[in-house]
Amino acid sequence: MNENVDTLNTCAIELASKGDYSEAIACFKRAITIERYNYLLWFNLAITYRDSGDMEEALASLKKAYAINPTDEEVIDMLAITSLNMGSYDSALSYCAEGLDLNPYNPHLWNTLGVVQFNKKEYEDASESFEHAVTIDPYYYDALFNLRDTYDELGNKTGVDFCQKQMDSIMPKGKPRV
């Protein structure tokens, strides 16, 4: 078989989508031996580790992707999310700040920042972050959902109702989210 990075990457993604994480990881590692400085391979490996439940390896692979390309906003956002999931709020906040310095118009990073703040019970700050995300992308369902819950924590009934109406206009009740 003529191995190349694209074939190995595609194969690994297909294996991971079927839940065969160990084989997918092996394919990514093989591809990385061919192109060690391909940050997307490291990123995909990190996602596979995450999906397999190995957060330590996911974080290590993300850090390698980040070292190769420290300006990729998706890598930075995933670093923040992974840090949050591992309980490292300070790291998550730091990655969010770094990503927002690169692009203050990234609604995903604003949403992630809000999630970190919400988890720290900093509801006022979280509401501001979610509001930024929704201002940038008024149809960003996850940010609206998070903003609604934050408004609920703050006792802002008007805000809760507004967010719910906006969410219902995006995803009518009874229709499953895909």
Side-chain angles (χ1 to χ4, degrees), residues 22-38:
S22 60
E23 289 297 319
I25 289 166
C27 281
F28 282 128
K29 285 182 174 182
R30 176 68 186 128
I32 288 168
T33 64
I34 298 169
E35 281 187 27
R36 181 164 181 75
Y37 297 104
N38 183 330

Side-chain angles (χ1 to χ4, degrees), residues 53-119:
D54 191 339
M55 298 304 285
E56 293 291 336
E57 286 295 331
L59 184 60
S61 297
L62 282 168
K63 286 181 177 182
K64 288 181 181 173
Y66 175 75
I68 296 165
N69 186 352
T71 61
D72 186 283
E73 294 168 33
E74 195 172 0
V75 171
I76 294 169
D77 190 38
M78 189 57 63
L79 274 164
I81 291 167
T82 303
S83 296
L84 170 65
N85 289 337
M86 295 176 74
S88 182
Y89 295 148
D90 290 341
S91 291
L93 288 171
S94 178
Y95 286 122
C96 287
E98 187 174 334
L100 289 168
D101 282 346
L102 287 172
N103 180 5
Y105 301 103
N106 183 319
H108 297 280
L109 283 163
W110 280 111
N111 184 63
T112 301
L113 177 59
V115 171
V116 176
Q117 293 162 328
F118 186 94
N119 278 278

